[in-house]
Amino acid sequence: MSEKTQTELGQFLSELNKESDRGSVLIAASIFDEWLCDIIQAHLMNDKVAKGLLNGATAPLSSFAARTGLAYALGLIMEHEYKELNTLRSIRNEFGHSWNGVSFETPKIQNKIDQLPWLGPDDAPNTPKTKFMFFVAILLADLMHRKQLVERDKVHPKVWGHTARNTVIGKTSNS
């Protein structure tokens, strides 16, 4: 992970720790959504069509759910990350659709957080908020680094043979 990315991660986590429970969850989901978009974009061809699928009001892959599914289907995230991101999305939805009385201590939220792995050190208190914050820090660091790894295998345009057009790899048989 580059020094710039490490600095960005540190700043984000510092700001995240200042937020309310609701703010922490909504902001964390938002940053994961952004990084999934960046990872997918790092994999796809660098053109207007690919960008149009991911960004904009009518982009079919503009939702957190769609990006999570696509990233998994393309092999850009692992199965456990896919499941964890879906759990995070579910937690985000609970906070986003409830206007009163929702916190990390709410039983429904605690049950969802229990589905996340404990990624903190053994001596840290294993409270729902602490578990959530360590989860965010570790998974986000992984995905920030993943973008660099994905860029190495970026999709490039290919020329395909056309049997029906009597061409192979862009050349006609008459050439």
Side-chain angles (χ1 to χ4, degrees):
M1 182 181 323
S2 72
E3 190 174 321
K4 179 182 176 234
T5 303
Q6 289 176 20
T7 301
E8 185 180 331
L9 176 62
Q11 290 171 338
F12 171 77
L13 294 173
S14 175
E15 289 299 314
L16 189 67
N17 281 318
K18 297 175 189 174
E19 291 292 330
S20 66
D21 292 358
R22 181 185 311 272
S24 297
V25 169
L26 297 177
I27 290 170
S30 176
I31 197 78
F32 279 112
D33 186 25
E34 269 183 51
W35 275 96
L36 283 171
C37 182
D38 289 349
I39 289 168
I40 293 166
Q41 215 148 25
H43 177 71
L44 298 177
M45 293 187 330
N46 190 19
D47 69 3
K48 190 168 82 172
V49 173
K51 289 176 184 171
L53 291 170
L54 293 163
N55 300 302
T58 60
L61 301 172
S62 64
S63 74
F64 188 17
R67 290 174 179 174
T68 303
L70 180 62
Y72 176 68
L74 292 172
L76 304 176
I77 61 173
M78 294 178 278
E79 183 177 10
H80 71 90
E81 293 167 331
Y82 169 76
K83 289 176 181 177
E84 292 164 5
L85 287 166
N86 279 325
T87 299
L88 172 63
R89 192 170 47 80
S90 178
I91 294 168
R92 182 219 43 200
N93 289 347
E94 288 295 326
F95 275 96
H97 297 294
S98 301
W99 65 271
N100 191 15
V102 179
S103 73
F104 285 120
E105 304 305 321
T106 304
K108 196 171 187 177
I109 299 298
Q110 280 186 1
N111 289 338
K112 291 179 185 296
I113 289 176
D114 285 343
Q115 297 171 27
L116 298 173
W118 171 251
L119 298 174
D122 291 337
D123 61 344
N126 191 349
T127 66
K129 184 166 187 160
T130 304
K131 184 175 188 176
F132 179 81
M133 294 304 224
F134 275 112
F135 162 77
V136 168
I138 299 302
L139 182 58
L140 186 55
D142 286 346
L143 293 185
M144 291 172 115
H145 182 64
R146 183 80 41 81
K147 180 183 173 199
Q148 292 174 329
L149 299 175
V150 168
E151 285 174 333
R152 295 179 190 165
D153 295 325
K154 186 171 198 61
V155 171
H156 297 285
K158 297 178 182 162
V159 178
W160 301 94
H162 301 284
T163 304
R165 296 179 189 199
N166 200 24
T167 60
V168 179
I169 315 295
K171 297 180 181 179
T172 63
S173 60
N174 297 334
S175 312

